[in-house]
């Protein structure tokens, strides 16, 4: 007795160790893992960071543009030669009268003076734009708009990842449900095989009935193997999607349950449209085209700036010199106005294209919302039909089972009833999973 109790305790401990070794995943946990680890989600976050850097870079255009430079040289000969002619130079003898008519002279020979054989020039400038046709202001607005667009695209990426996570999660759950169904079916066939073999030994049925059951059992075992392989591949793909290592002991906790009617999720499509990320992106695209037009127009307006400069110079053996200055600049792109008028017309056309795309794609989004609503209702109707079909198949199986036990129906009838019951159970499982996915899709396309 003690030995038996020991084995029972050992088996219990082993079962508990297996239970604790399993990793359980809920749908919400899977979503969080997908958002943290999925490569698309990571890249989307990096895109936001990159657009943020662009915005900060554009902001620096408000500040002065500081530049510095210098130049040194040591030439083989001077850069400039000054030729001085020789001749007699009057000499002042101290008598003012002789200044007009000198009587004494000194001879000065001709010569050539070479200058700037070597030298150093250095400067530092700071130029502050005063008016740039609004290009700096609109450029900053466009950069901020780019950051907003990156954040909206990140939200779209998150929605895509979450939807795919749900699709894959419920696919695995439905495959596990089908596995339980086919296991029950296999158990029924095994019991039926024992009954038929006993009846065959007793001479009640023919060997053909035994073969029919064995053939159906082989078919079920093959389908069971395919189902298990499909479940494994689906789990591996799911683990890759959410960024974790595949574990054969992974358990998916959530179950396929439908408790709410489609009407509880309904919203007006026109109100839902404005909550869509895609709708916001369409608005941003129109705004971006308008800003680019303003920037282009600014290129053909006068530009003004003020600046300060400090310079250092030293030539040959002379003393070094430093000096500073304040200056202002104004430029008017007169020759560019002709070509600029056509470029502005082009920008106007692109604005109109953006407006047309906004209107057309908004209408498509409304159609998508309407279709998603219809799909949700159709999925619920399919669920109700599948549920009713399963109930009828269960009743049909009970009738055929009782009839077979009473010798009224054949093995073939019972096998057909069993197959129909399994088929309707699988269809109900698929209908549940499909409804849940359609519900999630509808919530997403309505901005929820």
């Amino acid at each position: 007795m003690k030995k038996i109790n020991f084995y029972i305790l050992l088996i219990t401990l082993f079962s508990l160790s297996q239970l604790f070794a399993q990793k359980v995943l809920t749908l919400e946990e899977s979503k969080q893992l997908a958002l943290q680890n999925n490569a698309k989600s990571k890249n989307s976050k990096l895109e936001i960071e990159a657009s943020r850097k662009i915005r900060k870079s554009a902001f620096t255009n408000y500040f002065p543009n500081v530049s510095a430079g210098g130049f040194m040289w040591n030439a083989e000969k001077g850069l400039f030669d000054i030729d001085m002619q020789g001749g007699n130079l009057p000499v002042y003898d101290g008598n003012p009268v002789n200044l007009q008519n000198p009587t004494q002279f000194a001879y000065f020979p001709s010569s050539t003076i070479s200058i700037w054989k070597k030298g150093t020039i250095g400067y530092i400038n700071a130029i502050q734009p005063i008016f740039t046709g609004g290009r700096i202001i609109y450029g900053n607005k466009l950069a901020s708009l780019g950051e907003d667009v990156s954040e909206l695209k990140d939200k779209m990426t998150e929605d895509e990842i979450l939807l795919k996570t749900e699709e894959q999660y419920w696919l695995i759950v439905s495959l596990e449900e089908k596995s339980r169904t086919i296991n029950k079916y296999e158990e029924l066939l095994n019991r039926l095989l024992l009954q038929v073999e006993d009846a065959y030994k007793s001479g009640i049925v023919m060997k053909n009935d035994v073969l029919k059951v064995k053939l159906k059992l082989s078919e079920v075992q093959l389908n069971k193997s395919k189902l298990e392989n499909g479940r494994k591949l689906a789990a591996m793909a799911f683990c890759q999607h959410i960024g974790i290592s595949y574990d054969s002991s992974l358990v998916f906790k959530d179950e396929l349950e439908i408790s709410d009617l489609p009407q509880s999720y309904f919203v007006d499509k026109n109100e839902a449209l404005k909550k869509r990320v895609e709708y916001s992106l369409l608005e941003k695209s129109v705004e971006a085209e308008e800003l680019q037009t303003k920037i282009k127009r600014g290129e053909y307006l006068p530009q003004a700036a003020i600046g300060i400069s400090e310079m250092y110079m030293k030539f040959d053996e002379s003393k070094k010199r430093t000096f500073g200055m304040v200056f202002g600049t104004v430029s008017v792109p007169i020759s560019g106005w002709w070509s600029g008028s056509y470029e502005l017309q082009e920008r106007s056309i692109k604005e109109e294209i953006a407006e047309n795309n906004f209107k057309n794609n908004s209408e498509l989004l409304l159609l998508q919302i309407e279709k998603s609503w219809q799909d949700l209702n159709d999925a619920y109707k399919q669920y109700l039909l599948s549920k009713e079909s399963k109930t009828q198949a269960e009743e049909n199986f009970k009738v055929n089972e009782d009839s077979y036990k009473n010798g009224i129906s054949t093995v073939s009838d019972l096998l057909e009833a069993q197959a129909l019951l399994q088929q309707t159970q699988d269809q109900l499982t698929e209908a549940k999973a499909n409804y849940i996915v359609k519900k999630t899709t509808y919530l997403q396309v309505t901005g929820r």
Side-chain angles (χ1 to χ4, degrees):
M1 186 68 179
K2 291 181 178 179
K3 193 173 183 179
I4 294 174
N5 290 336
F6 173 75
Y7 283 128
I8 292 174
L9 179 61
L10 190 63
I11 293 172
T12 303
L13 291 174
F14 178 76
S15 300
L16 287 173
S17 65
Q18 289 294 105
L19 180 62
F20 286 117
Q22 291 177 338
K23 183 176 182 180
V24 180
L25 264 183
T26 65
L27 179 60
E28 289 304 317
E29 289 172 345
S30 301
K31 288 180 177 180
Q32 292 302 319
L33 286 171
L35 292 177
Q36 291 172 11
N37 302 326
N38 190 274
K40 286 186 177 179
S41 180
K42 291 180 179 179
N43 290 339
S44 182
K45 295 292 187 295
L46 291 174
E47 289 290 343
I48 294 177
E49 188 62 26
S51 62
R52 189 170 292 125
K53 300 301 181 185
I54 293 175
R55 176 180 59 78
K56 291 181 178 179
S57 174
F59 184 73
T60 62
N61 291 326
Y62 283 113
F63 299 96
N65 181 16
V66 180
S67 61
F71 181 65
M72 297 179 65
W73 75 92
N74 191 347
E76 182 180 357
K77 59 181 182 177
L79 301 182
F80 298 97
D81 289 334
I82 300 177
D83 293 328
M84 299 184 65
Q85 298 293 330
N88 294 319
L89 293 178
V91 177
Y92 178 54
D93 58 2
N95 187 355
V97 178
N98 296 328
L99 286 177
Q100 295 295 328
N101 299 298
T103 59
Q104 297 181 11
F105 297 91
Y107 178 73
F108 178 78
S110 61
S111 64
T112 300
I113 300 176
S114 181
I115 64 173
W116 290 15
K117 182 180 179 183
K118 61 181 180 179
T120 302
I121 297 176
Y123 68 89
I124 181 169
N125 295 331
I127 301 175
Q128 173 65 53
I130 300 300
F131 180 74
T132 61
R135 285 186 296 168
I136 294 177
I137 295 174
Y138 297 129
N140 274 269
K141 289 183 178 180
L142 188 61
S144 297
L145 184 68
E147 186 178 358
D148 294 339
V149 168
S150 296
E151 291 175 351
L152 289 171
K153 287 184 176 179
D154 178 62
K155 182 63 172 62
M156 281 184 60
T157 301
E158 286 185 358
D159 289 343
E160 292 173 3
I161 291 172
L162 292 176
L163 179 59
K164 187 175 180 180
T165 302
E166 285 220 23
E167 289 175 345
Q168 293 187 347
Y169 188 94
W170 293 122
L171 171 62
I172 296 171
V173 172
S174 66
L175 290 174
E176 290 179 344
E177 183 69 27
K178 289 182 179 181
S179 294
R180 289 190 285 270
T181 300
I182 203 170
N183 286 335
K184 291 180 181 179
Y185 186 27
E186 186 181 21
E187 291 175 5
L188 288 173
L189 288 174
N190 283 322
R191 289 199 298 267
L192 180 60
L193 180 60
L194 292 175
Q195 295 173 7
V196 173
E197 286 178 339
D198 289 342
Y200 171 69
K201 291 176 184 178
S202 302
I204 299 175
V205 298
M206 300 178 64
K207 187 173 181 60
N208 187 44
D209 290 336
V210 179
L211 295 175
K212 285 181 180 179
V213 178
K214 286 185 176 180
L215 180 62
K216 180 59 69 173
L217 187 58
S218 297
E219 180 183 333
V220 168
Q221 289 172 345
L222 177 61
N223 290 335
K224 181 180 177 181
S225 176
K226 291 181 178 179
L227 191 61
E228 289 174 350
N229 291 334
R231 192 267 180 198
K232 180 180 179 181
L233 289 174
M236 293 175 69
F238 181 77
C239 290
Q240 189 278 330
H241 174 68
I242 64 176
I244 64 173
S245 300
Y246 170 70
D247 187 349
S248 59
S249 64
L250 197 61
V251 175
F252 296 83
K253 186 177 180 181
D254 293 73
E255 297 181 356
L256 291 167
E257 295 180 356
I258 297 177
S259 56
D260 299 324
L261 296 174
Q263 285 72 21
S264 62
Y265 302 106
F266 177 77
V267 293
D268 181 78
K269 61 183 179 182
N270 291 302
E271 294 179 3
L273 175 64
K274 296 179 181 180
K275 298 179 180 179
R276 291 285 299 270
V277 175
E278 293 86 346
Y279 184 82
S280 298
L281 283 172
L282 289 173
E283 288 183 319
K284 297 293 184 184
S285 66
V286 174
E287 187 179 349
E289 291 296 338
E290 292 174 350
L291 287 173
Q292 289 181 26
T293 300
K294 292 177 179 179
I295 292 173
K296 177 59 69 174
R297 184 178 293 112
E299 294 178 2
Y300 302 105
L301 294 177
Q303 316 292 315
I306 59 173
I308 58 175
S309 180
E310 181 74 18
M311 296 193 69
Y312 167 89
M313 294 186 299
K314 187 177 187 308
F315 303 111
D316 297 326
E317 303 303 326
S318 64
K319 294 182 179 180
K320 62 181 181 181
R321 296 181 61 197
T322 59
F323 64 91
M325 63 179 176
V326 178
F327 61 90
T329 64
V330 176
S331 63
V332 181
I334 297 175
S335 62
W337 288 346
W338 188 9
S339 63
S341 64
Y342 296 111
E343 291 182 354
L344 290 175
Q345 290 175 23
E346 178 200 6
R347 292 301 321 154
S348 178
I349 292 172
K350 288 187 175 180
E351 282 188 34
E352 188 175 353
I353 291 173
E355 290 284 354
N356 292 336
N357 288 336
F358 173 77
K359 181 180 178 182
N360 181 66
N361 292 329
S362 296
E363 292 171 352
L364 292 176
L365 290 176
L366 288 173
L367 287 174
Q368 185 189 33
I369 295 173
E370 182 64 30
K371 182 181 182 301
S372 181
W373 170 244
Q374 297 298 332
D375 290 343
L376 179 62
N377 281 280
D378 291 342
Y380 188 73
K381 291 176 184 177
Q382 184 62 49
Y383 159 70
L384 294 178
L385 289 173
S386 299
K387 189 176 180 182
E388 184 179 353
S389 297
K390 177 178 175 292
T391 302
Q392 293 174 354
E394 288 175 339
E395 184 63 28
N396 178 63
F397 173 71
K398 290 179 182 178
V399 171
N400 278 275
E401 188 177 32
D402 292 339
S403 298
Y404 175 75
K405 290 178 181 178
N406 295 324
I408 300 175
S409 62
T410 64
V411 171
S412 297
D413 295 331
L414 183 58
L415 289 175
E416 184 179 347
Q418 287 178 332
L420 182 61
L421 178 58
Q422 185 210 358
Q423 180 182 350
T424 55
Q425 286 176 329
D426 287 345
Q427 287 175 348
L428 178 59
T429 299
E430 292 173 359
K432 286 180 179 179
N434 183 53
Y435 175 78
I436 293 174
V437 171
K438 295 300 182 184
K439 179 187 71 176
T440 303
T441 303
Y442 180 67
L443 291 174
Q444 283 195 359
V445 300
T446 51
R448 293 175 287 173

